[in-house]
Amino acid sequence: QQLSTSEKINLLLYNSPGVERLGIPKYNWWNEALHGVARAGRATVFPQAIGMAATFNDSLIYKVSTAISDEARAKFNAAVTNNNRAQYLGLTFWSPNINIFRDPRWGRGHETFGEDPFLTGCIGTAFVKGLQGSNPHYYKTVACAKHFAVHSGPEPIRHEFNAVVSNNDLRNTYLPAFKKLVTEAKVGGIMCAYNRTDSLPCCTGKFLLQDILRDEWKFKGYVVTDCWALDDIFRYHKFVKTDEEAAALAIKANVNVECGNTLKALHGALGKGMVTEKEIDAALKINLEILFKLGWFDAADINPYSRINENVINNNAHRALARETAVQSIVLLSNKNNVLP
């Protein structure tokens, strides 16, 4: 209630400047933890996601993501102590990528868990649970399943591509892993994709973000756009003509965080009656709830994750775990020459 309209809109951006007068520090929501947190400096680097899937060992991957989130918390705790709020030091990770890898020409296939919806759901669920922790009151970190939905190429035209898919293929190939991560792993975030699915832009379409995600699956977390995806709505998809229309549609479709700057156009959209202050409040409420659950506004001594220190980063146990994961990811493709018995 104490926030101005401008402050509310700024808190919907991925690089939020915060609100100093209310004790809300600046925060950059963009961070990655697909196979380690090396973007924030020294860290244990685990095998790529496609290698994790090749282990067929979800309990092992749970250990991997637990180690990753330990290192992430340690880096965050140290950064906050030094009043360092830089990008890649936050606790909201835009991982895992659970798109289905059907076409080997897609350049991002290595960061998925492969072509099988069931395996992707199992490995992805374990990964999310390890990242988010098991405390009933606090998130250790917040995972984000991406890219929702039917996003697996072609990469060069992803900003204008319309993925036409049958209901059977949608429900049995592209959505099962997302559903499992939402309903079983309780993933805290979902990233909407650049493309259109059956002609509706993924980041403003009511069918995906409201009908399926919120209503059918009862998702309670935050939705973030892929980076500058809202620009695509009016620049490349030509779904609407202006940034104000795109911004209003995103809020009405339950987008909470934008990676980009289009939501700044909410000022104009609000003045033209395209969106209401109440709808902006509803979007922002979820963002603030995520930050509360990360322990932002509580004393450190009551959050168990605040006690994780830098001794866990790239330690011997984590290095051994990375090696074991690499060993288990090895797949024998052929033994034609009888090298092995």
Side-chain angles (χ1 to χ4, degrees):
Q1 292 176 340
Q2 298 178 58
L3 292 166
S4 69
T5 300
S6 292
E7 288 169 339
K8 292 175 185 178
I9 292 172
N10 283 339
L11 289 171
L12 297 173
L13 304 176
Y14 81 101
N15 53 351
S16 162
V19 183
E20 186 176 349
R21 66 187 180 85
L22 295 179
I24 304 175
K26 69 177 183 179
Y27 184 61
N28 196 306
W29 289 75
W30 187 349
N31 207 343
E32 308 284 352
L34 189 66
H35 60 123
V37 285
R39 275 194 172 186
R42 184 173 61 94
T44 309
V45 177
F46 292 90
Q48 258 290 3
I50 197 74
M52 292 189 200
T55 68
F56 282 76
N57 189 340
D58 52 359
S59 61
L60 176 69
I61 303 311
Y62 174 79
K63 293 178 182 177
V64 167
S65 58
T66 297
I68 291 172
S69 57
D70 279 348
E71 297 194 11
R73 260 292 173 176
K75 287 176 178 287
F76 174 80
N77 293 341
V80 168
T81 299
N82 295 315
N83 197 29
N84 184 354
R85 302 285 180 172
Q87 188 173 356
Y88 304 132
L89 291 172
L91 294 171
T92 44
F93 291 100
W94 295 349
S95 309
N97 182 346
I98 57 169
N99 291 135
I100 300 302
F101 185 26
R102 276 189 159 182
D103 190 333
R105 294 171 297 181
W106 185 38
R108 296 183 68 176
H110 60 279
E111 65 179 78
T112 75
F113 297 126
E115 76 279 11
D116 183 75
F118 180 76
L119 178 64
T120 296
C122 290
I123 298 294
T125 293
F127 191 86
V128 167
K129 287 182 176 180
L131 278 189
Q132 296 191 163
S134 57
N135 187 279
H137 303 294
Y138 293 108
Y139 282 125
K140 190 191 214 178
T141 70
V142 180
C144 177
K146 64 186 186 186
H147 310 79
F148 192 60
V150 199
H151 176 84
S152 51
E155 194 76 1
I157 57 171
R158 62 184 179 170
H159 297 283
E160 60 191 78
F161 182 65
N162 180 30
V164 179
V165 60
S166 69
N167 188 60
N168 177 57
D169 213 15
L170 180 69
R171 292 288 183 170
N172 292 316
T173 302
Y174 293 107
L175 293 187
F178 282 101
K179 181 179 181 180
K180 189 176 180 70
L181 266 62
V182 168
T183 60
E184 295 185 28
K186 307 299 181 185
V187 67
I190 293 285
M191 177 181 284
C192 52
Y194 287 121
N195 56 281
R196 282 171 287 151
T197 295
D198 290 335
S199 298
L200 294 177
C202 294
C203 284
T204 56
K206 177 179 177 291
F207 174 66
L208 284 175
L209 297 183
Q210 179 66 47
D211 296 349
I212 292 179
L213 187 61
R214 300 285 188 187
D215 294 343
E216 186 178 326
W217 297 346
K218 310 302 180 187
F219 177 66
K220 302 298 184 186
Y222 82 102
V223 171
V224 59
T225 70
D226 207 340
C227 292
W228 284 265
L230 292 188
D231 278 21
D232 296 347
I233 307 300
F234 61 94
R235 293 186 189 278
Y236 304 114
H237 292 303
K238 307 294 184 182
F239 192 75
V240 293
K241 293 182 179 180
T242 67
D243 55 352
E244 292 173 344
E245 292 174 287
L249 281 179
I251 293 299
K252 290 177 180 293
N254 292 300
V255 166
N256 308 102
V257 175
E258 183 201 5
C259 185
N261 296 303
T262 300
L263 286 187
K264 290 182 178 180
L266 284 172
H267 291 284
L270 193 62
K272 295 177 181 178
M274 296 177 179
V275 68
T276 67
E277 188 99 17
K278 185 177 180 181
E279 289 170 324
I280 293 173
D281 289 349
L284 178 57
K285 178 178 181 290
I286 293 175
N287 295 0
L288 295 176
E289 187 175 66
I290 292 289
L291 299 180
F292 270 103
K293 288 182 177 179
L294 283 167
W296 265 42
F297 306 104
D298 292 344
D301 59 359
I302 64 172
N303 182 349
Y305 299 129
S306 296
R307 294 190 283 272
I308 300 175
N309 62 46
E310 292 177 282
N311 292 334
V312 303
I313 297 174
N314 199 30
N315 63 19
N316 289 335
H318 289 181
R319 292 169 70 89
L321 180 61
R323 181 181 177 87
E324 174 61 21
T325 308
V327 168
Q328 292 198 30
S329 75
I330 294 170
V331 177
L332 177 65
L333 297 181
S334 173
N335 191 31
K336 289 182 179 178
N337 297 325
N338 297 314
V339 174
L340 299 175

